[in-house]
Amino acid sequence: MYRFPYTSHLTQQEFIQRCSRISFWYHSFYFDNGFEVRGDYNIGADIQDYGFPESMQGMKVLDIGTGSGWFAFYFERLGAEVVTVDVRGYCDLDVYGRYEYPPVSAGGRQPERFVDGEPIYDSRVSGGFWVMKEILGSQVRFKNARAYDINPALFGGEKFDLVFMGALLLHLRDPIGALMAARSVCKGQVIVTTPVTPDEPGPGMPCQYLPYTSLDKISWWLPNETCFQHWFWAAGFQEVDIDRQVTLRCDVEHIENGRVVNRDQVLRVGIAKAVE
């Protein structure tokens, strides 16, 4: 299992106090000195299965839907210059049955912070990013945006060698649109993960289903294998590999309305090249 090198000056008690500022951790963080904060998912247990380069030295990487930031900080440890994106909160999510996005200011909500003069809002899952960024002394940059809003202008015309979206597409009403947006800022590879269902009876007709809407209102599509590949082709990618799979490993059970919502999930990994 991957453990982050601990480089902070914080004592264990100070580390615990800092991490306790956040009531919900989406990602678990384990360190080589035994310090840890446990959340819904332990990414480090299966990180070798994603197909990331062993070194990202000199690479520019975009992490869309960063959550607590585990992948972003991991990419930085591998040598990458990393930018992350996450939504401002429930107002920005694709909610089943919602016909518009409500304003972030509804209910009198104010930004949690300003970065380079821009207001930054924490979503339910991104609050931990800022605590861990401070602990790690990280230089990872953060922006608020929906996946569909990704475009070169958002990053001053910058494009990325690697664009990553981890277990995000199932939470989007338009996964192809999100992949198109990712393609617009990608000059190398995009890597994404999502649950899939096997092709039945074999490779052929691309199909996608809406199986989750009775469980929650922010989970959408389950594609079959062929459909998952077609999502990439539809978004303008040409070289597509969907053969890998990875387990999204539950660490601490998270129960909502009497139901465990974060059991182990087997995800398919899609790796596509941006070929001009």
Side-chain angles (χ1 to χ4, degrees), residues 136-150:
L136 292 169
S138 170
Q139 300 301 309
V140 171
R141 292 179 285 154
F142 183 101
K143 286 182 174 289
N144 279 138
R146 302 183 185 100
Y148 313 120
D149 298 331
I150 301 297

Side-chain angles (χ1 to χ4, degrees), residues 60-64 66 72 75 81-85 139-143 154-155 158 160 162:
K60 293 184 177 181
V61 177
L62 176 64
D63 178 18
I64 302 175
T66 194
F75 299 151
E81 178 185 333
V82 186
V83 180
T84 62
V85 169
Q139 300 301 309
V140 171
R141 292 179 285 154
F142 183 101
K143 286 182 174 289
L154 186 65
F155 310 104
E158 183 177 12
F160 299 89
L162 173 65

Side-chain angles (χ1 to χ4, degrees), residues 1-2 4 15 19-20 22-31 35-47 50 52 63-75 84-86 123-133 135-136 142 164-168 171 193 247-254 262 265 267:
M1 182 179 76
Y2 182 83
F4 284 96
F15 173 87
C19 293
S20 66
I22 302 300
S23 60
F24 173 70
W25 286 86
Y26 185 68
H27 296 136
S28 297
F29 287 84
Y30 290 89
F31 290 88
F35 290 11
E36 62 186 46
V37 55
R38 297 182 64 190
D40 273 19
Y41 295 106
N42 179 12
I43 303 299
D46 300 273
I47 190 63
Y50 283 83
F52 297 129
D63 178 18
I64 302 175
T66 194
S68 303
W70 196 99
F71 287 101
F73 300 131
Y74 175 73
F75 299 151
T84 62
V85 169
D86 215 319
S123 71
R124 178 170 175 265
V125 297
S126 67
F129 170 88
W130 298 98
V131 172
M132 201 53 62
K133 175 178 167 67
I135 289 172
L136 292 169
F142 183 101
F164 176 66
M165 288 191 284
L168 178 63
H171 294 299
T193 64
T247 299
L248 186 59
R249 190 80 55 184
C250 171
D251 198 3
V252 179
E253 282 193 349
H254 182 176
N262 65 327
Q265 301 172 49
L267 306 177

Side-chain angles (χ1 to χ4, degrees), residues 197-198 207-212 220-224:
T197 187
C207 299
Q208 60 188 49
Y209 309 89
L210 273 173
Y212 303 116
W220 292 74
W221 297 108
L222 177 66
N224 67 1

Side-chain angles (χ1 to χ4, degrees), residues 56-238:
M56 293 188 178
Q57 196 67 42
M59 293 178 64
K60 293 184 177 181
V61 177
L62 176 64
D63 178 18
I64 302 175
T66 194
S68 303
W70 196 99
F71 287 101
F73 300 131
Y74 175 73
F75 299 151
E76 186 179 44
R77 287 295 309 169
L78 295 184
E81 178 185 333
V82 186
V83 180
T84 62
V85 169
D86 215 319
V87 296
R88 298 171 298 178
Y90 198 72
C91 61
D92 286 342
L93 299 183
D94 286 345
V95 178
Y96 188 81
R98 176 190 279 175
Y99 65 91
E100 64 180 358
Y101 297 107
V104 69
S105 59
R109 187 176 176 201
Q110 298 295 318
E112 273 69 35
R113 60 189 57 80
F114 286 83
V115 176
D116 297 328
E118 293 185 17
I120 298 294
Y121 296 83
D122 291 346
S123 71
R124 178 170 175 265
V125 297
S126 67
F129 170 88
W130 298 98
V131 172
M132 201 53 62
K133 175 178 167 67
E134 178 186 358
I135 289 172
L136 292 169
S138 170
Q139 300 301 309
V140 171
R141 292 179 285 154
F142 183 101
K143 286 182 174 289
N144 279 138
R146 302 183 185 100
Y148 313 120
D149 298 331
I150 301 297
N151 65 84
L154 186 65
F155 310 104
E158 183 177 12
K159 290 195 174 186
F160 299 89
D161 301 295
L162 173 65
V163 178
F164 176 66
M165 288 191 284
L168 178 63
L169 293 182
L170 79 157
H171 294 299
L172 302 176
R173 70 174 189 278
D174 182 7
I176 295 173
L179 286 170
M180 290 171 64
R183 174 66 181 85
S184 75
V185 296
C186 182
K187 62 179 181 179
Q189 285 186 327
V190 62
I191 299 179
V192 305
T193 64
T194 202
V196 302
T197 187
D199 288 355
E200 296 292 348
M205 181 68 70
C207 299
Q208 60 188 49
Y209 309 89
L210 273 173
Y212 303 116
T213 52
S214 62
L215 300 177
D216 65 55
K217 293 186 177 295
I218 59 169
S219 297
W220 292 74
W221 297 108
L222 177 66
N224 67 1
E225 294 169 319
T226 297
C227 182
F228 185 40
Q229 193 164 40
H230 273 268
W231 282 357
F232 291 97
W233 289 336
F237 293 96
Q238 296 178 17

